[in-house]
């Protein structure tokens, strides 16, 4: 026996031994995928494909991109900070259970099932006294944000997935630095992968002035981040607890149309006043405390001031992420689709939904509901683009109206039904946003705001070409091949 083992190792190359080790590791990962992780069957098969057809690199790709989050307590609220929040959620749930108790706002009352679902799963309490300002141009959005920053009196909480200290980023940073020096408390939270050109040293002046900065899931080693696949995709700004921003714009010169590659950048962002800002504040606090090592936030009156604001737009702020049991924002989208009676409007840069989402749209179309989808004409991620194009072609064949935005890059994430319910935020229509990233959306129940977006959508159509059944059928074999490959790996894109 000893002779056999010696002879095996003496006649086996080091490369062969390493190959056997890698195959063994791949096998262990495969067992973990099948029996230990909460994944869809499509995702499991896609990762098995990667592991076994790339035996040398598959397990490295899995370590970087494939692991799920098991810790369900990443975002914690201290017991004393829950006071008031739990009572508010329970009071609203009780009101929604009582069918005889009506909301004062007609559209909100009509869609109380959507409200209840988001409230039950996500503690996304409904607020009624909001006013909303909409930005579809980056220059206008950042001009307004700079003005609000310069008028801040107490605190500025600033969170972005991508934060670049280029032209517009430098302006914002200098404004934040000036306010910190004036005594306004400034906190900046950026995603370490989305803003990978930054380090904490990039904010030396702000930190020396007393400001605090944190990176979400920071890299342990240069260029190596074991949480590369779970990114904080949220964009939230809260100023003095009274003004909130949420939407699709990141911070960088491309978002004000200065990119030679993308040209005009079409996006949507909201400026909110009213009690919905409290939800954005809570979301920021949770994200901040998940990574702040020394400067944890606690509930303070200055973060949640009494607001004498008399808007009348009902709104819920919903968030989702891989730490959650439910896919809250995806469920919100699905509930909207199933609630639609007349029309569904969607604008998204990436359209790679799972089977449940596609089937919901098919059922809607078969029921006579008009579906409009708008996607960009140029990719920022090639595989994602061809997966998007393939899914769009499938909908066209069923009778959907698919509009290809030609003016520049389309980045906003919007769904609207029946000129009544509207969702605007950071969540793309893809598996990454539904399962892997940390996202936030505003769900708005108001005919006036929904009609506004209907008009914005129709204005955008002027800058679109229509994808027809004939045009899609006429695509080249090369495009068909790219679509097939994209569809094969779509569960992990």
């Amino acid at each position: 026996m000893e002779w056999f083992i010696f002879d095996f190792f003496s006649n086996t190359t080091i490369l062969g031994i390493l190959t056997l080790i890698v195959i063994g590791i791949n096998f262990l990962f495969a067992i973990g995928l099948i029996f230990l992780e909460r994944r869809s069957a499509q995702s499991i098969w896609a990762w098995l494909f990667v592991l076994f057809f790339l035996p040398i690199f598959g397990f490295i790709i899995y370590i970087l991109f494939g692991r799920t989050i098991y810790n369900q307590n990443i975002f914690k609220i201290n017991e004393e900070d829950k006071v008031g929040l739990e009572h508010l959620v329970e009071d609203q749930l009780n009101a929604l259970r009582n069918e005889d108790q009506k909301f004062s706002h007609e559209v909100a009352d009509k869609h109380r099932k959507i409200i209840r679902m988001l409230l039950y799963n996500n503690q996304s309490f409904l607020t009624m006294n909001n006013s909303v300002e909409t930005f579809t141009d980056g220059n206008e959005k950042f001009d307004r944000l700079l003005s609000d920053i310069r008028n801040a009196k107490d605190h500025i909480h600033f969170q972005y997935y991508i934060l670049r200290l280029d032209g517009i980023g430098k302006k914002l940073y200098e404004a934040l630095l000036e306010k910190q020096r004036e005594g306004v408390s400034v906190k900046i939270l950026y995603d370490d992968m989305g803003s990978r050109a930054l380090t904490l040293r990039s904010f030396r002046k702000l930190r020396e002035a007393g400001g605090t900065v944190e990176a979400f899931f920071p890299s342990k080693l240069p260029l190596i981040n074991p949480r590369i696949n779970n990114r904080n995709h949220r964009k939230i700004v809260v100023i003095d607890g009274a003004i909130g921003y949420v939407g699709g714009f990141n911070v960088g010169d491309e978002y004000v149309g200065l990119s030679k590659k993308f040209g005009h950048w079409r996006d949507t962002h909201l400026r909110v006043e009213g009690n919905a800002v409290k939800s954005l504040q809570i979301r920021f606090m949770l994200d901040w405390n998940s990574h702040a090592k020394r400067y944890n936030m606690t509930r303070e009156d200055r973060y949640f001031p009494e607001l004498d604001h008399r808007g009348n737009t009902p709104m819920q702020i919903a968030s989702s992420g891989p730490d959650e049991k439910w896919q809250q924002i995806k469920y919100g989208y699905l509930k909207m689709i199933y609630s639609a009676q007349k029309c569904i409007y969607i604008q998204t840069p990436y359209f790679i939904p799972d089977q449940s989402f596609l089937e919901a749209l098919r059922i809607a179309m078969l029921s006579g509901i008009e579906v409009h989808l708008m996607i960009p004409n140029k990719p920022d991620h090639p595989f994602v683009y061809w997966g998007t194009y393939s899914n769009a072609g499938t909908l066209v064949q069923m009778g959907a109206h698919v509009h290809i935005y030609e003016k520049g890059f389309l980045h906003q994430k919007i769904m609207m039904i029946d000129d009544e319910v509207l969702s605007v935020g950071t969540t793309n229509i893809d598996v990454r946003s539904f399962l892997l990233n940390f996202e936030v959306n505003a769900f708005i129940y108001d005919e006036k705001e929904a009609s506004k977006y209907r008009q914005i959508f129709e204005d955008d159509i002027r800058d679109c070409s229509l994808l027809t059944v004939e045009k899609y059928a006429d695509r080249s074999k090369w495009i068909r091949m790219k679509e097939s490959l994209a569809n094969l790996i779509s569960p992990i894109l």
Side-chain angles (χ1 to χ4, degrees):
M1 182 67 179
E2 292 178 359
W3 174 85
F4 173 78
I5 295 173
F6 175 80
D7 184 67
F8 172 80
F9 280 104
S10 63
N11 290 286
T12 303
T13 65
I14 294 176
L15 180 60
I17 295 172
L18 290 175
T19 300
L20 289 174
I21 292 172
V22 170
I23 291 173
I25 292 173
N26 282 353
F27 180 77
L28 292 176
F29 279 137
I31 295 297
L33 274 171
I34 295 171
F35 294 106
L36 299 179
E37 297 196 5
R38 180 174 59 90
R39 295 179 183 271
S40 67
Q42 296 95 327
S43 178
I44 289 174
W45 280 111
W47 276 115
L48 290 176
F49 174 84
V50 170
L51 287 170
F52 287 107
F53 282 86
L54 297 172
I56 304 299
F57 303 105
F59 75 95
I60 299 175
I61 295 172
Y62 176 77
I63 288 173
L64 291 177
F65 296 98
R67 296 190 305 154
T68 57
I69 291 178
Y70 294 102
N71 183 4
Q72 302 297 314
N73 297 308
I74 296 174
F75 305 106
K76 298 178 181 179
I77 302 180
N78 295 329
E79 289 302 317
E80 58 269 24
D81 294 334
K82 291 182 180 179
V83 175
L85 177 60
E86 289 183 339
H87 289 299
L88 177 60
V89 170
E90 190 57 37
D91 288 346
Q92 289 194 354
L93 280 173
N94 288 334
L96 287 163
R97 292 187 189 108
N98 184 357
E99 296 292 339
D100 295 330
Q101 188 169 342
K102 303 294 184 182
F103 285 119
S104 58
H105 196 287
E106 183 179 348
V107 173
D109 192 68
K110 179 179 178 181
H111 295 282
R112 56 197 293 131
K113 296 296 185 183
I114 301 175
I115 295 169
R116 177 179 174 177
M117 186 200 69
L118 291 173
L119 185 64
Y120 181 81
N121 283 338
N122 201 221
Q123 295 191 336
S124 303
F125 52 88
L126 179 71
T127 57
M128 307 289 285
N129 67 331
N130 306 291
S131 60
V132 180
E133 188 175 352
T134 302
F135 300 97
T136 59
D137 177 83
N139 290 288
E140 294 177 1
K141 180 254 179 172
F142 288 116
D143 285 347
R144 191 75 160 104
L145 178 57
L146 278 165
S147 176
D148 286 331
I149 288 172
R150 289 166 180 154
N151 290 322
K153 306 298 182 186
D154 184 78
H155 64 270
I156 302 168
H157 296 155
F158 190 92
Q159 174 181 353
Y160 279 91
Y161 169 63
I162 295 175
L163 173 57
R164 307 191 203 282
L165 297 182
D166 49 16
I168 186 61
K170 187 176 180 181
K171 283 184 181 179
L172 287 164
Y173 178 61
E174 289 175 348
L176 292 168
L177 177 59
E178 181 181 349
K179 296 308 293 187
Q180 181 63 51
R181 287 171 173 167
E182 291 176 6
V184 173
S185 172
V186 174
K187 287 180 168 60
I188 296 177
L189 178 64
Y190 65 91
D191 184 83
D192 191 65
M193 286 306 301
S195 308
R196 51 189 170 273
L198 298 180
T199 67
L200 294 181
R201 291 189 298 272
S202 305
F203 304 94
R204 178 180 56 83
K205 292 182 179 180
L206 180 72
R207 297 168 74 197
E208 288 175 350
T212 47
V213 183
E214 295 291 345
F216 191 91
F217 278 160
S219 302
K220 303 299 182 183
L221 297 171
L223 303 178
I224 298 177
N225 192 316
R227 286 300 178 198
I228 192 173
N229 215 31
N230 302 120
R231 308 317 313 174
N232 195 317
H233 197 235
R234 296 167 182 147
K235 298 96 176 169
I236 295 172
V237 178
V238 178
I239 299 172
D240 294 341
I243 298 169
Y245 284 81
V246 64
F249 281 106
N250 289 293
V251 176
D253 283 349
E254 66 265 43
Y255 300 98
V256 291
L258 298 180
S259 167
K260 292 182 179 179
K261 177 181 178 181
F262 295 111
H264 176 72
W265 191 276
R266 175 66 182 85
D267 219 324
T268 298
H269 220 89
L270 304 181
R271 180 186 184 272
V272 181
E273 291 186 80
N275 282 336
V277 179
K278 298 180 188 295
S279 296
L280 292 172
Q281 187 80 287
I282 291 171
R283 183 69 267 167
F284 179 87
M285 289 178 64
L286 290 169
D287 286 5
W288 177 267
N289 288 346
S290 70
H291 284 75
K293 299 177 180 63
R294 296 170 52 197
Y295 304 104
N296 272 16
M297 296 177 66
T298 58
R299 187 180 181 91
E300 299 179 32
D301 289 342
R302 67 192 184 107
Y303 294 150
F304 300 94
E306 292 298 322
L307 301 175
D308 184 23
H309 189 74
R310 294 178 172 81
N312 59 359
T313 301
M315 182 184 302
Q316 286 175 289
I317 302 297
S319 57
S320 64
D323 62 309
E324 299 283 354
K325 183 177 181 180
W326 312 107
Q327 301 173 48
Q328 288 93 336
I329 295 177
K330 172 193 159 183
Y331 290 177
Y333 283 163
L334 288 174
K335 188 63 177 173
M336 286 176 66
I337 293 171
Y338 284 122
S339 300
Q341 298 296 313
K342 297 181 294 184
C343 59
I344 301 168
Y345 284 76
I346 300 171
Q347 289 176 297
T348 178
Y350 318 125
F351 186 69
I352 309 182
D354 59 14
Q355 197 64 27
S356 65
F357 195 98
L358 281 173
E359 287 181 354
L361 286 178
R362 288 172 183 147
I363 291 170
M365 285 186 284
L366 290 171
S367 303
I369 295 168
E370 192 173 290
V371 172
H372 288 263
L373 170 67
M374 190 177 294
I375 58 174
N377 75 331
K378 58 181 68 176
D380 61 342
H381 303 292
F383 282 122
V384 176
Y385 177 77
W386 292 113
T388 294
Y389 194 73
S390 176
N391 286 315
T394 299
L395 291 187
V396 165
Q397 292 169 340
M398 289 198 65
H401 306 271
V402 175
H403 311 275
I404 311 295
Y405 190 74
E406 304 286 354
K407 187 176 180 179
F409 188 69
L410 183 98
H411 189 252
Q412 71 267 36
K413 306 94 167 52
I414 291 173
M415 180 180 290
M416 188 269 291
I417 63 166
D418 296 346
D419 294 341
E420 291 181 346
V421 183
L422 172 71
S423 182
V424 181
T426 68
T427 310
N428 298 306
I429 311 295
D430 62 11
V431 175
R432 175 163 299 280
S433 276
F434 291 165
L435 274 175
L436 300 176
N437 285 344
F438 300 91
E439 307 282 2
V440 61
N441 273 44
F443 285 78
I444 300 171
Y445 309 90
D446 186 79
E447 287 178 319
K448 180 180 177 182
E449 291 299 320
S451 295
K452 183 195 303 181
Y453 278 89
R454 171 72 167 267
Q455 185 59 56
I456 291 172
F457 192 103
E458 290 178 355
D459 290 343
D460 287 336
I461 287 177
R462 299 171 187 169
D463 296 312
C464 292
S465 61
L466 187 66
L467 180 62
T468 63
V469 173
E470 294 76 19
K471 186 182 294 186
Y472 183 68
D474 197 38
R475 67 198 188 284
S476 68
K477 291 182 179 178
W478 176 235
I479 291 177
R480 293 170 190 261
M481 187 182 302
K482 289 189 285 189
E483 285 183 12
S484 297
L485 181 58
N487 285 332
L488 185 64
I489 62 173
S490 64
I492 62 173
L493 285 176

